[in-house]
Amino acid sequence: MSAGGPSKDQREELQEIFNYFDKNKTGEIEIESVMQYFETLKLNERPGIAEKSDREGDEKKEPTLTFDNGKRTINFEEFYQMMSDAIYGETADTHLKETFSIFDTNGTGYIEFENLKNIVGVLGDNLTEEDIKGMIRAVDYWHNGKICYEEFKEFFYKDLD
């Protein structure tokens, strides 16, 4: 991975993710959307997000989540910095393995059609079976109809070198 951070293509991918959550096209996304993304990727660490209690000692109230900027919304540049650190930082390989395991729901060491179809369904995307098969083909360098971790990693890091 390059020391300079995400490549131009990865910045564009992060912009696409941001745009996906910016459904109202306001240029900002709410913390709940980012939390949904973190939960989908099963990222235990939530960089750039703080829990604050509304009142000290009040255990009945749930903590309020805010971004490090103190707001409940974030613009693309803030999102880009936060996600660059989370996805492409020093712990990227750990996060990548965790992400792969989310897709490998049956623990076979492969992402197969049914795995990807289920994840896409959870995210609420309306992709056809052909779209999902196309996603697998784009990463399946060994042409065996499924994606192993090495293929997943190769695809993810292909533009970093």
Side-chain angles (χ1 to χ4, degrees), residues 112-139:
E112 300 178 63
F113 174 80
E114 286 300 319
N115 304 120
L116 193 53
K117 181 180 173 184
N118 291 337
I119 293 292
V120 166
V122 168
L123 292 174
D125 289 333
N126 294 324
L127 298 178
T128 66
E129 287 191 3
E130 195 54 43
D131 291 335
I132 296 168
K133 288 176 184 176
M135 292 169 72
I136 290 174
R137 280 192 301 273
V139 182

Side-chain angles (χ1 to χ4, degrees), residues 2-160:
S2 70
S7 69
K8 180 181 175 192
D9 287 343
Q10 290 163 330
R11 182 178 176 90
E12 289 171 4
E13 288 172 7
L14 288 174
Q15 181 71 60
E16 287 177 26
I17 293 168
F18 181 87
N19 292 344
Y20 175 80
F21 288 115
D22 184 16
K23 302 232 187 263
N24 296 327
K25 306 297 179 222
T26 62
E28 294 195 339
I29 55 175
E30 296 182 4
I31 196 161
E32 290 81 7
S33 297
V34 176
M35 292 303 297
Q36 175 189 357
Y37 183 63
F38 283 158
E39 288 171 16
T40 300
L41 295 179
K42 295 194 186 212
L43 293 175
N44 295 329
E45 299 171 27
R46 298 178 292 188
I49 297 177
E51 288 186 13
K52 296 179 182 175
S53 182
D54 287 339
R55 287 187 253 153
E56 293 297 319
D58 190 353
E59 292 151 17
K60 293 179 185 175
K61 284 197 132 190
E62 298 240 353
T64 302
L65 294 174
T66 62
F67 290 107
D68 284 349
N69 65 8
K71 301 186 306 182
R72 293 186 51 79
T73 60
I74 192 169
N75 65 32
F76 174 70
E77 289 304 319
E78 293 166 316
F79 176 79
Y80 173 75
Q81 186 60 52
M82 180 176 69
M83 295 309 295
S84 295
D85 294 344
I87 296 174
Y88 306 110
E90 292 178 16
T91 59
D93 281 336
T94 301
H95 289 303
L96 192 60
K97 287 177 184 171
E98 290 173 359
T99 302
F100 181 83
S101 69
I102 293 166
F103 289 95
D104 178 20
T105 56
N106 52 2
T108 63
Y110 294 96
I111 300 171
E112 300 178 63
F113 174 80
E114 286 300 319
N115 304 120
L116 193 53
K117 181 180 173 184
N118 291 337
I119 293 292
V120 166
V122 168
L123 292 174
D125 289 333
N126 294 324
L127 298 178
T128 66
E129 287 191 3
E130 195 54 43
D131 291 335
I132 296 168
K133 288 176 184 176
M135 292 169 72
I136 290 174
R137 280 192 301 273
V139 182
D140 181 16
Y141 302 125
W142 296 350
H143 307 291
N144 60 359
K146 52 191 175 182
I147 303 166
C148 70
Y149 177 71
E150 289 306 314
E151 290 170 314
F152 187 76
K153 184 176 177 179
E154 171 86 14
F155 179 79
F156 190 79
Y157 287 140
K158 70 181 175 186
D159 295 319
L160 289 177

